[in-house]
Amino acid sequence: MPRLLRAIRFDASDSHVFPMVAAENEWAIPGSFVFSLGRYGDPVEIAGKERQAFVSGFLALGSFGFTTVVSVSEASEEDVANCERLLAEHLFDQFGAPGEEAALAAAREEVAFGRELAEGAALNTLLALKREIGDDGLIKERFHIVTPPGEKPHALVWDVVEEP
């Protein structure tokens, strides 16, 4: 069964830091093309919420909002095809793809990259990303696994002891 990335929301923080937030459980891809195609201007010069989306946002397929963390999830071939279709329509309508076939080809590449990331990790693995502009002026992506914190040590203020 194929795997894809799914938007995860632990709290409301994404809605405060991104220009548009992904809905929980939407399929997602890295989506760096949004920045390389100039949606928010020159990546070197963007600021604020757009800058935060550039630095750490995965792109959700549906809302086309951003999420900080994605989870590796099982998908059906129909889910994959729907993601490709949604993204192709978005590329054609919002980014001026030269035709529907070109938009679908680009969408398939983007979804395939997301699948490659997902298929290289265990189910339910949490991933985050960091984007930056390299010395060559190109967008560089680094992906890392988000590990949940272990048990938090705490100080014992008092102890209850039963009397004999």
Side-chain angles (χ1 to χ4, degrees):
M1 185 164 240
R3 293 182 179 181
L4 289 172
L5 304 173
R6 192 178 286 278
I8 298 294
R9 293 187 67 191
F10 294 115
D11 56 32
S13 60
D14 282 354
S15 62
H16 300 292
V17 298
F18 293 136
M20 182 186 276
V21 66
E24 187 165 357
N25 291 322
E26 283 187 281
W27 296 117
I29 57 173
S32 292
F33 72 87
V34 169
F35 304 99
S36 64
L37 294 177
R39 168 59 58 144
Y40 296 106
D42 183 347
V44 173
E45 297 177 9
I46 59 176
K49 291 182 176 188
E50 291 78 11
R51 180 75 183 158
Q52 190 62 37
F54 171 76
V55 170
S56 63
F58 285 89
L59 182 68
L61 301 176
S63 67
F64 295 97
F66 296 95
T67 185
T68 303
V69 179
V70 293
S71 175
V72 174
S73 301
E74 286 186 336
S76 68
E77 290 297 340
E78 184 178 346
D79 291 326
V80 173
N82 285 337
C83 287
E84 292 170 348
R85 180 187 51 76
L86 278 170
L87 183 54
E89 289 171 3
H90 189 67
L91 290 170
F92 185 74
D93 294 340
Q94 302 297 315
F95 286 90
E100 292 177 6
E101 282 187 36
L104 185 57
R108 285 184 173 142
E109 283 184 35
E110 291 292 327
V111 172
F113 180 51
R115 282 183 71 176
E116 182 181 319
L117 288 171
E119 289 172 358
L123 284 176
N124 300 316
T125 298
L126 301 178
L127 297 174
L129 78 91
K130 181 174 182 181
R131 273 188 209 95
E132 59 190 9
I133 303 296
D135 293 337
D136 57 3
L138 298 176
I139 296 173
K140 306 290 183 196
E141 300 170 318
R142 286 184 287 148
F143 300 92
H144 63 275
I145 294 174
V146 177
T147 53
E151 272 192 51
K152 295 180 181 177
H154 64 295
L156 195 58
V157 177
W158 66 79
D159 197 5
V160 177
V161 178
E162 288 189 38
E163 292 202 20

